Amino acid sequence: MYTVKQAAQRLGMSEYTIRFYTDKGLIPSLKRDGNNRRLFDEESLHYLATVKCLRECGMPVDSVKAYCDLCSQGDSTIQARYDILLKQTEAARRQLEEAQARLKHLNHKVENLRRLLDGRG
Amino acid sequence: MYTVKQAAQRLGMSEYTIRFYTDKGLIPSLKRDGNNRRLFDEESLHYLATVKCLRECGMPVDSVKAYCDLCSQGDSTIQARYDILLKQTEAARRQLEEAQARLKHLNHKVENLRRLLDGRG
DNA sequence: TACTATATTCGAGTAACTCTAAGTCAAGCA
DNA sequence: TGCTTGACTTAGAGTTACTCGAATATAGTA
């Protein structure tokens, strides 16, 4: 079982964000201990990782919430969830291409500046 | 020469964002026509593309602004700009890796769901 | 028992857009 | 000439997704 702090370290996100997500109901399997503290088991942690992934793909929090609600509803929503994730896969692919383009753009500019610096010797 | 709308289409960003950036002074070479309309020449457009790239690398607007101010100051700031861009190249590289990880994560989940769907035939 | 560390909630603050409203201006047309 | 349309302008309000501060609660230690 992981506290918010441990989950944050584990997934590389802020405690604020984790509290924010749990308050929005994005982690249905979240537990609390006797002192009302949030506790993540392995399942919740993996779930949170997926939430993080979807958000980083550009999915709005409300849409992630809708996906989470589908997950809570069981097997009857598998097709719907499949459709959502497939669409996000496309978003992820686009992002990958854009990241490559950015790296290329910056490498090019750095290269230009380096030449200028070298030229001045 | 490009209007805001044309620049937006060309670079795939919203007109709102372009106005926002120009109002913040991120495009020093921006011109205006007789009716006070923003006009981008090739240089300004390329400049805007770099601003967009830096923002997408995660650089805050204020920091991009600082970079733009350096650009306006001429050759004496080449080293400083080189340092900034080199650092952002690292950010871009990290993002590329994260994008790959996201794609992998999603492909894995889609694969799982597809198996469930197939299994029910 | 007091202090410290860590957690909680609620509400305010921030960054970066995003949009609306009100106004300007040139062009087209009855 | 006057009217309408449409693309642009600005200032400022609204939105999203955090991010932080303050007050409170509890557990562990000196």
Side-chain angles (χ1 to χ4, degrees):
Chain A
M1 295 293 239
Y2 307 86
T3 64
V4 168
K5 183 174 219 165
Q6 288 164 342
Q9 283 166 349
R10 199 69 181 268
L11 298 184
M13 51 200 300
S14 81
E15 299 177 41
Y16 299 130
T17 302
I18 292 180
R19 294 212 182 85
F20 178 72
Y21 287 172
T22 56
D23 289 352
K24 291 256 170 183
L26 298 190
I27 317 290
S29 56
L30 180 76
K31 303 286 185 299
R32 299 273 184 159
D33 71 5
N35 290 314
N36 196 33
R37 289 190 199 134
R38 293 167 184 82
L39 280 183
F40 292 80
D41 56 16
E42 289 297 339
E43 186 200 341
S44 302
L45 202 68
H46 183 259
Y47 205 93
L48 180 55
T50 297
V51 166
K52 178 173 183 269
C53 178
L54 290 175
R55 278 289 304 121
E56 288 173 350
C57 285
M59 210 169 157
V61 169
D62 285 358
S63 304
V64 176
K65 165 73 168 150
Y67 169 81
C68 292
D69 289 347
L70 285 177
C71 290
S72 300
Q73 286 168 45
D75 288 357
S76 65
T77 65
I78 290 180
Q79 180 71 55
R81 283 185 269 152
Y82 176 83
D83 294 345
I84 289 171
L85 293 188
L86 199 60
K87 196 173 164 200
Q88 289 310 307
T89 307
E90 273 317 300
R93 205 180 306 280
R94 261 195 310 282
Q95 282 187 328
L96 184 58
E97 285 164 14
E98 285 167 10
Q100 281 162 348
R102 278 198 297 276
L103 189 53
K104 199 172 159 188
H105 184 126
L106 284 179
N107 274 332
H108 188 73
K109 287 205 90 81
V110 164
E111 192 52 25
N112 280 349
L113 288 181
R114 204 185 50 69
R115 260 197 294 278
L116 284 177
L117 286 171
D118 281 1
R120 293 198 309 201
Chain B
M1 297 292 241
Y2 306 88
T3 64
V4 168
K5 184 174 220 167
Q6 288 164 343
Q9 283 167 351
R10 198 71 179 268
L11 298 185
M13 52 201 300
S14 81
E15 301 178 38
Y16 299 130
T17 304
I18 292 180
R19 294 211 183 84
F20 178 71
Y21 287 173
T22 56
D23 288 353
K24 291 256 172 184
L26 298 190
I27 318 289
S29 56
L30 181 76
K31 302 287 184 300
R32 298 275 184 159
D33 72 5
N35 290 315
N36 196 33
R37 288 187 201 138
R38 293 167 183 81
L39 280 184
F40 292 80
D41 55 17
E42 289 297 338
E43 187 200 341
S44 302
L45 201 70
H46 183 260
Y47 205 94
L48 180 55
T50 297
V51 166
K52 178 174 184 270
C53 177
L54 290 175
R55 278 292 303 120
E56 287 172 352
C57 285
M59 208 170 159
V61 170
D62 285 357
S63 304
V64 177
K65 165 72 170 150
Y67 169 81
C68 293
D69 289 347
L70 286 178
C71 290
S72 302
Q73 286 167 45
D75 288 358
S76 65
T77 65
I78 290 180
Q79 180 71 55
R81 284 186 267 153
Y82 177 83
D83 294 346
I84 290 172
L85 292 188
L86 198 61
K87 195 172 166 200
Q88 289 309 308
T89 307
E90 272 318 298
R93 206 182 305 280
R94 263 196 309 281
Q95 283 188 327
L96 184 57
E97 284 165 15
E98 285 166 10
Q100 283 162 348
R102 281 198 296 275
L103 190 52
K104 199 172 161 189
H105 184 125
L106 284 179
N107 274 331
H108 188 74
K109 288 207 87 83
V110 163
E111 192 51 26
N112 280 349
L113 288 181
R114 205 184 52 69
R115 260 198 294 279
L116 284 176
L117 285 170
D118 281 1
R120 292 197 311 200

